[in-house]
Structure formats: structure tokens, C-alpha cells
Amino acid sequence: MTPTTPSAAIEAIEIGRRYGNVVAAESVSFAVARGEFFALLGPNGAGKSTVMHILTTLVAPTSGQATVMGHDVVTEAKAVRRELGMVFQDPALDERLTAAENLEIHAVLYGIARRDRRQAVDEALTWASLTEVGKRRVRAFSGGMKRRLELARAIMHKPRVLFLDEPTLGLDPQGRRNLWERIGALRENGMTVLMTTHYMPEAEACDRVGIIDKGKLVAIGPPAELVAKHATTPGATLEDVFIRMTGHALRTESATAREMTVSFGKRGGEHTR
Amino acid sequence: MTEMAAPIGVKAWMGISPAVVHIMWQREMLRFFRDRSQLWGGLSRTILWLVILGFGLGASLREIEGYTYGQYILPGVITLNVLYASLQCAISLVWDREVGLLREVMVSPAPMLSVTLGKLLGGASIAVVQGTIPLLFLPGIYVAIDPVAIIEAWVVMFFMGILMTAVGVIIATRLKTYEGFGAIANGVIQPLYFLSGSIFPLRGVIGGVGFIQIPDALRDELRRLGIFAIGGGWVVQLPAWIQVLVYCNPVSYQLDLLRHVLLGFEQLPMAADLLVTFALPLVATVVAAFMMGRMLKSR
């Protein structure tokens, strides 16, 4: 096993995760430098979220090891959690609570001192341009508002590494552009960002991209370099390269517990939202 | 964001952070009071069981061990509300984990034991609120309101709530999707309720219609003298297999203590009542916290 690179913000060494016989990720190795903007690209079910969950300590790897800001994700999970901010693929908010209440819970969970909590909540609301609706329940928020709230929440405790799991999923172009500008501002402040995405323009704007397929990392490098190296036709784009490397076949995957829960809720079978 | 003191990390001792416990408890309370349907559920269960069944069946069964049927099932109806409140609060964990706030909690440095404790205290507090609804009907079933008895009843309800929320959390950590909720409601709450001595006694003297009607004041007087059954009736005893199930059900003991506190009548050994009511919730809490931690690692 290679020794860890001390300057790396995130380092994954041969990490893998199996669920019984199913391999969700296998021998994935990469490093993200401090202040780098890194995107994981891959078809549905390729293992992007698994890698993300291993790095954020939500899932233990069944092989390999990984560090975030020098802390091991398994043995020093608590230290890793203090360093990172996370925006999940779909909102992880309590919809019966107000925006301010959601933020206050976050402040407590991350140990922000009581005297600073109010200020932290107000600042996060201001950052997300949600001050006016801070006392409204999140249930009434649009998808874009929820995303802004979650992004503001993720950086509330001043993490040094930000994980974004398809942050612009389901947003309209206006919402996507707005969120992207906010993410860009964080980048200028030196935040390390690891994101997963399906949108090629977003991936092209990153410092480096890792293409992941069937649980394995199949290519890694700056977007322009990947295009130059793997393009077969002149004028090829990152999307062409992506399709070429991961194939044209549509991916079928069974619904996850999350998707089943969501659809159950949509049918009106949910009592507690 | 502008200058602000950097977070100092969650202050915790042995995994217990008072601030985290408090905020998670507060979250459950806010959620409960913002969802009126749960309160209405508690009220409608009380009306169905205590008022309609109590007076309806009470018209045929004049008394059980000297208590009217409404009085006899009052602790049972409280128990039913406690069961619903705690299990509903606990099972919401499945939803919370897949599409709600719990993922945010799981990725935070907050200790899982404190998160679990907040959840259990929240479930138990909601259970006390829900369990208090039937108490509002005390004058309607001719039971004098005794402040000490009410406080004691709240204590029993609270511990019952801790136990049942913990049991619900343990089930929820094993459930993959929310669709199992219906099975929980019917497959857990109802057996625990029916087999707890809530609506029929283990054994006792039951008076039928046609036996003498006596004024309530005289009934109280006779009860003080140790005379419970008046006029006549039958001595009934449950079939042995149901008795076994009732004895195996921890809710039976908590309900028995509740009935003792409210009516001064009990059917089970008091030592067992006290042990199950106060010790079992602590054991269940430890198991629930362990399961919450394991759920995190095994996903």
C-alpha cells in the first residue's frame, strides 16, 4: 500500500465495498489536493455515491483505506466528520421544521457554541439569500431554495472539504446557475470540493475529473487532457469521451431503499414527513 | 461567511452531549406539535375505546372487580395512546434515514448515543402528552382526580414511552423501507395492547347486567372496606395460553402499575411491575443506541 500524501485533502487507496456478492466499488485510488475542485463522473449505479459515502464515513470500506485531511475514515471517523461538509443527492432536511430550525440543529451537531449559534444561523440564511423565509417551514420551499439552504448548512461549521453529491440535480437552469455561482465563490476561498455530477458543463469546469464505471475508476485527469487523450474524432467533447469509456448501454439498476421510500411517500403512504 | 469563533467540536462525556440530546428531543416535540393529525388520532382512539367501548360494553358488563368497565379500561386506553405515540415516533426513523434529516445527523460528529437519547426522550414525551388525553375523561367515568396519582401515572407513561420508542427504534434500524409501517401498527401495537390485560382481566369477579346498582359514593366506601364485587357475578379466568402471553408481555406489567396508580387495583406482582417498568427501558435504551450505531456502519 502506498503511503499517504500529507498534502492531499482527500486520498483514497484501493478502496472497495462489496454488499454480499455485489461489488459497488473496487480498487478505487485517487487523491484530491487541498483547494482542488474534483468531479466524479459516472453512469447511474457506477459507484460514485459509494465512494462518496466511504469518504464521508457513512459506509465502511470492505477493502483499502482512505483519509480526509490526513484522518483515516474508519479509525478516525469523528475527526473526518469535523473536517467535512456534505450535501446529499436529495434534501436531507426536516421538512416540518423551519429553515432556521434546521440550521440550528446543524450548529448543535457540530458543537458551535451556544452564544455563536444565532449569529451562525443568521449568516447562513443571509449567505443562502433565505433571510426572508428563515421562519418558514422547509416543506414550502422550492427545490432551489432547499439546495441553497443545504449548501449554506454544509459550510456553516467552516469545513475544509466539501462533498457534493449531484448538487444541481433537479434544478431549473436558473437555480443551477445560481447554485453553481455560489459553489464557485467557495472555490475561490480555497475550499476543497469533491462532487459527483451528470452534467458535463459542470465537470468541464472542474480542475480534474475522475470517470468511474462498474465500481472502477477508468480515467482521471483535467477535463481538457482527458478529451485530448481519449478523443477519437476531432472536436470531441468530454461527453463523447465519457460515452466512449462507459459505453452506450442504458443502465438498469434496481430501486434503492431511498427511492422506494420516496415513491411510497408520493403514493400518500407516508405519515411523518 | 464572516469572522466567527471556530467550532470547538461537540462537548460530550461518554457519548452524552446534553446539547445534542436536547436539540434532538426538541426536534421531536416540534414535529409532533406541528402535526395535528397525531393529536386527533389520540383523541379519536380515546373516544372509540374509552367512551364508546367503555360505555357500550360497560352496559353489559356492569363491573370488573368493582370497577365499571370504563374505569377498568382507562389505563389500557392510556397504554394504547402511549404505544401509538412511541412507535410512530420511532418508526419515522426509516423515513428520516432514507430521505430526511438523519443522514445529515449521521455524517456529523455528534455522538450517536446522544442522538438516540434525544429520540427516546422525544418519543417518551410525546407518549406522555398522548397518554394524558384519556385522563381528561376521568370525570366522565367517575374517577376522582388525584394530583399525586396523575403525576405517578405520568412517570409510568414516560418509562413506558422510553421502552416502546426504544423497541420501535430497534425495529426501525432493521427495516429497509417504510412500507413495513402498516405491519408494525397491526403486528406490534395491537398484540401488545390486547395481550396486556388492557380490556379483559387475567381473572376476577365480573358482574353482569341486572345486578344491583349502587351509588358511586357507596361504591367508594365499600372499596375502602375491601369489598369490590357487589351483588353477584362470575369468577372468570383467562385460558392458560392467553395468560402465558400476557405474562410474557412487558406492557402488561407497566399497564398493571398504571392501573394500580390510577385505580388502586392490580393483578400482577408489584415487584415485577416495578422491575419491568423502570429497569427494562434502560436495557432497551442501551440496545437501541447500539443498533443505531450499527445501522450506520453496516449500510
Side-chain angles (χ1 to χ4, degrees), chain B residues 114-167:
Chain B
S114 302
V115 173
T116 311
L117 286 177
K119 179 94 192 165
L120 299 188
L121 292 173
S125 305
I126 296 168
V128 171
V129 175
Q130 292 277 50
T132 303
I133 297 173
L135 290 180
L136 303 175
F137 290 78
L138 277 179
I141 55 168
Y142 314 111
V143 174
I145 294 173
D146 169 10
V148 177
I150 301 233
I151 289 165
E152 286 172 348
W154 278 337
V155 172
V156 178
M157 284 180 216
F158 182 81
F159 278 89
M160 200 190 262
I162 294 275
L163 176 67
M164 294 323 296
T165 312
V167 167

Side-chain angles (χ1 to χ4, degrees), chain A residues 10 24 27-29 31 44 61 100 120 160 171 182 184-185 190 198 200 224 226 236-237 241 260-261 270-271:
Chain A
I10 303 167
S27 300
V28 176
S29 298
N44 289 334
R160 290 193 283 178
L171 298 186
R182 286 169 200 274
H198 277 304
M200 294 302 153
L226 284 183
T237 61
V241 170
M260 284 192 272
T261 308
E270 182 267 311
H271 312 250

Side-chain angles (χ1 to χ4, degrees), chain A residues 54 57 59-61 64-66 71-78 80, chain B residues 297:
Chain A
I54 289 173
T57 76
V59 165
Q65 65 177 87
H71 305 291
D72 189 282
V73 295
V74 176
T75 57
E76 301 168 284
K78 200 144 271 184
V80 170
Chain B
K297 290 188 199 91

